């Protein structure tokens, strides 16, 4: 992209627009000055951002666990865009580079056990954009550390770049659940994470795969999203070796447990209530492992490769698109069951 084009963007769109919520559960647009990148930072024009269920949850409920909205809080963490400017010391990027934004920025101190051992998603000092008190990336201009930006190829759209974030969630789940070629598998929940988990599990060789949901429309979307040449949906014919639960709803977790075979695993990705009632002794008698996931680490390069090569096609996830100026309507659509939205994208040209 030529410098003149950058100047044109900044001239046509001088103000930064963001979508925020607050402790009163209000949702609104806010304008502010365009930020300036500091040392080691890049100024990104955010071109595409997907609305995550956690964004809706922070707006509607004001907290997820002990992460509480106590003041104004910018939303959004599934984003991709183009670099407009770089700060002092930036060496990996230049204006015009297209990037996906990894929104969890850990401390990376030698004294941090999590960062030192490669589990930076557990860093106690992590700055995760859109999680209170940190504003999100659902804004026109965002300043981000260069170390946590990932270059995407010209063949990849900004929408696909933003979908690398939910794909990262699925890839982390596939890795921690130890899925193996030919594993019988159940996925509970055909929402965005459920379907992207379906795509990742299919690519990893799970077979057969059954996906569950109470919404027939989402099940139809799951069928359409599955890659060509994959085996068709079918009954397992036996209990599952692996259940990946993508809703966090107690009844769905319990259903997953009763679908699991002796010595199998129920792996919970979904976010639910602080406390849940589970069939403890049933799980004990069947030696069912129960595992969980907290975000992800070291997934973006892998996700970029899978999408670029066509092994995983994330494009069918997007069902609705809105401009940044229509951000409020985008959130209302994403949270309205009648809208039948799977993944809502907010686009800024």
């Amino acid at each position: 992209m030529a410098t003149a084009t950058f100047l044109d963007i900044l001239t046509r769109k001088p103000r930064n627009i963001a979508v925020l919520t607050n402790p009163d559960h209000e949702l609104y647009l806010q304008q502010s000055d365009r930020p300036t990148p500091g040392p080691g930072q890049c100024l990104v024009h955010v071109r595409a951002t997907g609305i995550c269920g956690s964004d809706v949850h922070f707006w509607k409920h004001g907290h997820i666990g002990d992460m509480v909205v106590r003041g104004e809080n910018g939303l959004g963490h599934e984003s991709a865009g183009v670099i407009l400017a770089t700060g002092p010391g930036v060496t990996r990027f230049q204006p015009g580079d297209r990037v996906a934004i990894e929104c969890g920025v850990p401390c990376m101190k030698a004294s941090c056990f999590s960062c030192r051992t490669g589990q930076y998603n557990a860093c106690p000092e992590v700055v995760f954009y859109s999680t209170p008190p940190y504003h999100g990336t659902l804004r026109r201009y965002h300043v981000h550390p260069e170390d946590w930006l990932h270059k995407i190829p010209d063949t990849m759209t900004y929408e696909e770049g933003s979908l690398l974030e939910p794909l990262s969630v699925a890839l982390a789940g596939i890795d921690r659940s130890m899925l193996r070629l030919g594993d019988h598998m159940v996925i509970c929940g055909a929402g965005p994470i459920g379907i992207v988990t379906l795509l990742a599990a299919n690519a990893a060789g799970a077979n057969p795969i059954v996906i569950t949901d109470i919404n027939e429309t989402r099940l139809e979307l799951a069928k359409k999203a599955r890659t060509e040449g994959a085996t068709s949906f079918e009954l397992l014919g036996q209990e599952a070796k692996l259940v990946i639960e993508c809703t966090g709803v107690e009844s769905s977790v319990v259903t997953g447990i009763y679908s699991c075979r002796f010595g199998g695993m129920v792996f919970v990705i979904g976010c639910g209530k602080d406390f849940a009632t589970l069939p403890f002794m049933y799980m004990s008698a069947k030696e069912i492992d129960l595992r969980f996931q907290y975000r992800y680490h070291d997934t973006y390069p892998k996700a970029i490769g899978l999408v670029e090569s066509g092994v995983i096609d994330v494009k069918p996830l997007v069902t609705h698109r809105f401009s940044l100026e229509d951000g409020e309507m985008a959130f209302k659509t994403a949270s309205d069951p009648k809208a039948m939205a799977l993944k809502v994208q907010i686009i800024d040209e």
Side-chain angles (χ1 to χ4, degrees):
M1 185 183 293
T3 303
T5 306
F6 293 136
L7 294 176
D8 179 60
I9 292 172
L10 298 176
T11 300
R12 286 188 296 110
K13 301 180 177 183
R15 298 291 285 170
N16 202 5
I17 299 176
V19 181
L20 289 85
T21 188
N22 60 28
D24 295 324
H25 311 290
E26 295 173 315
L27 185 72
Y28 51 95
L29 297 181
Q30 185 181 83
Q31 294 195 32
S32 62
D33 294 333
R34 184 178 66 248
T36 300
Q41 296 179 331
C42 298
L43 174 65
V44 181
H45 176 200
V46 180
R47 297 290 300 275
T49 301
I51 296 178
C52 176
S54 65
D55 296 317
V56 174
H57 205 87
F58 279 128
W59 163 38
K60 294 279 190 178
H61 302 284
H63 76 99
I64 295 177
D66 60 359
M67 298 173 286
V68 181
V69 176
R70 303 188 188 280
E72 286 192 324
N73 205 83
L75 298 168
H77 58 268
E78 301 177 4
S79 296
V82 60
I83 292 177
L84 298 184
T86 59
V90 171
T91 59
R92 295 175 52 236
F93 297 102
Q94 59 185 2
D97 285 343
R98 305 166 75 254
V99 293
I101 301 172
E102 183 170 354
C103 279
V105 178
C107 72
M108 299 306 289
K109 297 175 183 175
S111 59
C112 177
F113 175 82
S114 297
C115 291
R116 190 175 67 248
T117 57
Q119 298 173 306
Y120 64 78
N121 53 314
C123 172
E125 297 181 29
V126 66
V127 173
F128 199 94
Y129 291 92
S130 81
T131 297
Y134 307 108
H135 289 307
T137 57
L138 183 41
R139 55 188 58 240
R140 176 163 289 146
Y141 303 117
H142 170 72
V143 164
H144 205 75
E146 72 162 328
D147 289 343
W148 301 98
L149 293 171
H150 301 272
K151 190 176 292 187
I152 58 175
D154 292 339
T155 55
M156 187 180 296
T157 67
Y158 291 113
E159 282 191 6
E160 290 175 295
S162 73
L163 289 166
L164 296 172
E165 202 280 342
L167 177 56
S168 286
V169 173
L171 294 180
I174 295 296
D175 184 52
R176 270 185 55 78
S177 67
M178 299 180 290
L179 183 147
R180 295 293 182 266
L181 192 69
D183 280 354
H184 290 61
M185 181 181 181
V186 169
I187 297 171
C188 298
I193 294 299
I195 292 182
V196 78
T197 298
L198 167 68
L199 297 174
N202 183 74
N207 185 61
I209 304 172
V210 168
I211 189 165
T212 68
D213 205 284
I214 60 174
N215 187 317
E216 289 290 339
T217 300
R218 287 196 163 185
L219 290 176
E220 288 301 317
L221 288 169
K223 291 179 182 179
K224 292 177 181 177
R226 201 169 188 193
T227 55
E228 293 183 8
T231 55
S232 61
F233 284 84
E234 59 185 290
L235 295 176
L236 283 174
Q238 59 180 286
E239 294 169 314
K241 179 182 178 182
L242 173 64
V243 177
I244 295 189
E245 209 296 315
C246 299
T247 72
V249 176
E250 182 178 305
S251 59
S252 182
V253 176
V254 171
T255 298
I257 290 169
Y258 282 114
S259 301
C260 197
R261 78 182 193 189
F262 186 94
M265 179 187 295
V266 175
F267 188 90
V268 180
I269 294 179
C271 296
K273 297 183 296 185
D274 290 344
F275 295 92
T277 300
L278 301 175
F280 180 82
M281 288 310 300
Y282 179 85
M283 296 175 67
S284 174
K286 296 198 72 170
E287 291 189 359
I288 293 174
D289 292 335
L290 182 62
R291 300 194 77 183
F292 297 87
Q293 171 180 338
Y294 186 66
R295 296 173 180 160
Y296 45 79
H297 64 84
D298 301 303
T299 52
Y300 266 77
K302 185 190 302 184
I304 290 169
L306 290 169
V307 173
E308 182 184 15
S309 64
V311 173
I312 293 179
D313 181 10
V314 293
K315 292 189 293 291
L317 291 170
V318 181
T319 55
H320 295 72
R321 296 171 178 86
F322 293 86
S323 68
L324 180 56
E325 289 81 1
D326 291 327
E328 294 173 77
M329 181 59 67
F331 266 82
K332 291 173 182 176
T333 300
S335 63
D336 182 4
K338 295 179 181 178
M340 298 296 182
L342 185 60
K343 177 58 68 175
V344 176
Q345 285 271 346
I346 295 179
I347 308 297
D348 194 51
E349 298 293 346

